[in-house]
């Protein structure tokens, strides 16, 4: 049985980003509206910024699903490294799907990061250790990968979680 992590909400001062209308147009009729990172609207819920690589690719789709399924409890904004600007500061939590994205996150931010493929050797152990040291938790989407990156957690206060890829039951139903 796999252990799936839940991150407890934290209370931090609200983000200092301008409020914008909640209605944001969607790139396609089937895709949920994607509010830009600066468009987070504070309604008393904890805020999460999810970092992606390329709009419309796997991590963007996963980010859209996180927003869809967590929106009752969290305000989730999606930011892409393609935006070139650094993500805004002030979110309660920053989530990345890959270690290198940690370099883009604000200093002192609460970061959850990890791996979705066996590629850490590409960057080297020292770089992965540095990125892992900035994270409050690390995720891996397979048990083998979780066990492989366990060596990089800075201490027992920085857990490594097995978080398998999910399936949207609405998309894959008959």
């Amino acid at each position: 049985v796999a252990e799936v992590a839940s991150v407890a909400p934290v209370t931090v001062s609200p983000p200092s980003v301008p409020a914008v209308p909640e209605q944001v147009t969607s790139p396609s009729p089937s895709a949920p509206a994607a509010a830009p990172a600066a468009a987070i609207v504070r309604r008393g819920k904890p805020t999460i910024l999810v970092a992606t690589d390329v709009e419309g690719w796997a991590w963007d789709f996963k980010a859209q699903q996180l927003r869809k399924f967590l929106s009752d409890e969290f305000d989730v904004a999606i930011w892409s490294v393609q935006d070139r600007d650094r993500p805004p500061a002030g979110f309660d939590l920053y989530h990345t799907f890959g270690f290198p994205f940690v370099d883009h996150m604000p200093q002192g931010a609460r970061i959850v990061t990890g791996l979705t493929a066996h590629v850490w050797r590409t960057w080297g152990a020292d770089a992965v250790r540095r990125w892992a040291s900035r994270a409050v938790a690390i995720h891996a989407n397979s048990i083998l990968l979780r066990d492989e990156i366990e060596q990089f957690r800075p201490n027992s206060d920085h857990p490594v979680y097995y978080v398998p890829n999910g399936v949207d039951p609405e998309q894959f139903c008959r």
Side-chain angles (χ1 to χ4, degrees):
V1 171
E3 179 182 328
V4 179
S6 66
V7 178
V10 294
T11 304
V12 178
S13 59
S16 57
V17 295
V20 297
E22 292 186 45
Q23 193 71 341
V24 179
T25 57
S26 175
S28 75
S30 62
I40 194 75
V41 178
R42 185 61 135 170
R43 292 177 292 232
K45 296 188 278 187
T47 57
I48 302 172
L49 181 131
V50 180
T52 65
D53 52 356
V54 179
E55 190 173 325
W57 285 19
W59 287 350
D60 183 55
F61 181 74
K62 289 169 78 169
Q64 298 291 340
Q65 296 303 300
L66 285 172
R67 177 190 289 141
K68 176 180 174 181
F69 289 101
L70 296 177
S71 64
D72 287 346
E73 297 179 46
F74 301 93
D75 277 332
V76 179
I78 297 171
W79 172 83
S80 171
V81 294
Q82 289 184 322
D83 294 341
R84 300 202 188 269
D85 293 327
R86 293 233 179 242
F91 285 84
D92 296 319
L93 186 72
Y94 292 78
H95 178 278
T96 77
F97 294 107
F99 280 119
F101 287 54
V102 169
D103 284 340
H104 297 278
M105 301 301 112
Q107 287 298 318
R110 287 178 47 104
I111 302 168
V112 173
T113 190
L115 284 178
T116 58
H118 297 267
V119 295
W120 69 266
R121 286 178 184 84
T122 304
W123 309 301
D126 290 340
V128 174
R129 220 171 261 107
R130 179 174 52 81
W131 292 321
S133 72
R134 289 195 53 204
V136 296
I138 300 168
H139 61 82
N141 65 352
S142 76
I143 293 171
L144 180 63
L145 190 53
R146 182 201 60 198
D147 293 347
E148 196 173 316
I149 63 174
E150 181 79 27
Q151 65 182 305
F152 299 112
R153 71 181 221 177
N155 58 54
S156 61
D157 292 336
H158 293 73
V160 178
Y161 294 101
Y162 167 53
V163 183
N165 288 325
V167 175
D168 182 351
E170 293 176 17
Q171 184 174 354
F172 294 99
C173 67
R174 290 184 175 214

